[in-house]
Amino acid sequence: MSHSPVLVFDSGIGGLTVLREARVLMPERNFVYVADDAGFPYGGWEEEPLKARILALFTRLLETHDPEAVIVACNTAFTLAGADLRAAFPGTRFIGTVPAIKPAAERTRSGVVSVLATPGTIRRAYTRELIETYAGSHHVHLVGSPHLARMAEAYIRGEPIDDEAVRAEIAPCFVEQDGCRTDIVVLACTHYPFLANVFRRLAPWPVDWLDPAEAIARQARRVVPPLMDAVEPAGEDIAIFTSGQPDFATRRLMQGFGLRVT
Ligand code: DGL
């Protein structure tokens, strides 16, 4: 018997960091991975045109795939369009991705936290509200990186990484304030966990790099009912690229993640 898939959406390959956790918790489900690579990177877009693009895209995606639920595995997209998506498609369950400011505020010992994200996510009212609501008594530094999402894409496709360029992007995360140093950096872009080992190697001092992928997957598991009649997926998992033409390295990467590019 085939069941509706879970759709995982991102601007590029960053959502794979969430897909791999979702698979662990929902082994019986099929997944459709959608990368809006024709619009990548989302980080530099103006808000209104990006929101319109995402809503138009979802009109088609939901019609075609009729998913059981959608994981928007992209901070830049969800902090902008999450509420509009839920309002426009009330019959669809959306699981969102937002900067993990609340868990960071609960865990920090120094009280100095950085949020590393795309420039879009840093600009969002949503992000400011999370800080006011959950981290009002802490020092939260917002660091918008214009280049890291692209660097992560290149790195995961097997291209060499430029240490100095990465060091420059993460440097503003490391802050000393009133005798206290940053102890948590929130990875608020789903592309960044692919670079976590590079970040660790280049960091001026050790910090906790907070990756919300597992928490997002847990939330998805709560929302998506387990299939009692299945222990493994009935069909295959697929990947869709809005450009229609992912390159060879990307197709190989998708194969490695068990996704057939359609
Ligand atoms: N992976 C996306 C995020 O979580 C954005 C990367 C981009 O398109 O700039 O924010």
Side-chain angles (χ1 to χ4, degrees):
M1 198 201 302
S2 78
H3 296 275
S4 296
V6 174
L7 195 149
V8 179
F9 176 82
D10 184 32
S11 57
I13 59 175
L16 295 172
T17 61
V18 177
L19 174 71
R20 64 186 172 192
E21 299 295 335
R23 277 226 185 95
V24 173
L25 297 183
M26 293 185 274
E28 84 288 8
R29 285 285 174 182
N30 271 119
F31 291 87
V32 173
Y33 186 80
V34 180
D36 183 15
D37 62 331
F40 179 84
Y42 275 3
W45 278 67
E46 291 296 325
E47 296 200 339
E48 286 313 312
L50 181 57
K51 198 189 284 183
R53 178 185 180 86
I54 293 168
L55 286 168
L57 207 60
F58 268 95
T59 305
R60 294 201 300 277
L61 288 172
L62 298 182
E63 241 172 62
T64 312
H65 302 287
D66 185 27
E68 179 70 38
V70 173
I71 303 176
V72 181
C74 177
N75 296 263
T76 316
F78 193 79
T79 53
L80 175 68
D84 297 83
L85 283 169
R86 285 184 172 138
F89 309 106
T92 301
R93 290 180 275 212
F94 286 94
I95 298 104
T97 303
V98 302
I101 289 164
K102 182 170 183 256
E106 286 163 0
R107 270 183 233 178
T108 178
R109 286 199 297 268
S110 70
V112 186
V113 168
S114 292
V115 178
L116 184 60
T118 66
T121 299
I122 294 303
R123 277 197 302 271
R124 302 276 184 264
Y126 198 125
T127 304
R128 313 260 159 188
E129 281 158 26
L130 284 175
I131 294 171
E132 275 163 35
T133 311
Y134 299 111
S137 55
H138 297 309
H139 298 289
V140 180
H141 296 271
L142 294 173
V143 179
S145 162
H147 305 300
L148 274 179
R150 266 192 204 287
M151 288 180 187
E153 293 251 340
Y155 181 65
I156 200 66
R157 288 189 179 102
E159 291 170 32
I161 195 96
D162 176 348
D163 281 1
E164 281 322 303
V166 174
R167 216 192 294 273
E169 299 290 304
I170 65 170
C173 293
F174 291 85
V175 178
E176 304 210 44
Q177 194 155 9
D178 307 329
C180 294
R181 302 201 297 191
T182 308
D183 67 349
I184 297 184
V185 178
V186 177
L187 298 174
C189 169
T190 52
H191 280 71
Y192 300 170
F194 282 131
L195 289 172
N197 283 337
V198 180
F199 293 162
R200 271 184 208 108
R201 180 166 57 76
L202 300 175
W205 61 78
V207 294
D208 184 4
W209 299 92
L210 202 65
D211 173 6
E214 196 194 327
I216 299 162
R218 265 191 270 116
Q219 176 59 11
R221 178 73 285 182
R222 279 192 283 272
V223 168
V224 175
L227 294 173
M228 294 310 177
D229 57 344
V231 285
E232 57 184 78
E236 59 177 352
D237 292 347
I238 59 169
I240 295 161
F241 286 78
T242 55
S243 68
Q245 42 195 208
D247 60 16
F248 175 70
T250 306
R251 283 184 276 122
R252 283 304 290 265
L253 177 70
M254 294 297 134
Q255 265 175 16
F257 272 83
L259 296 161
R260 184 172 63 81
V261 178
T262 67

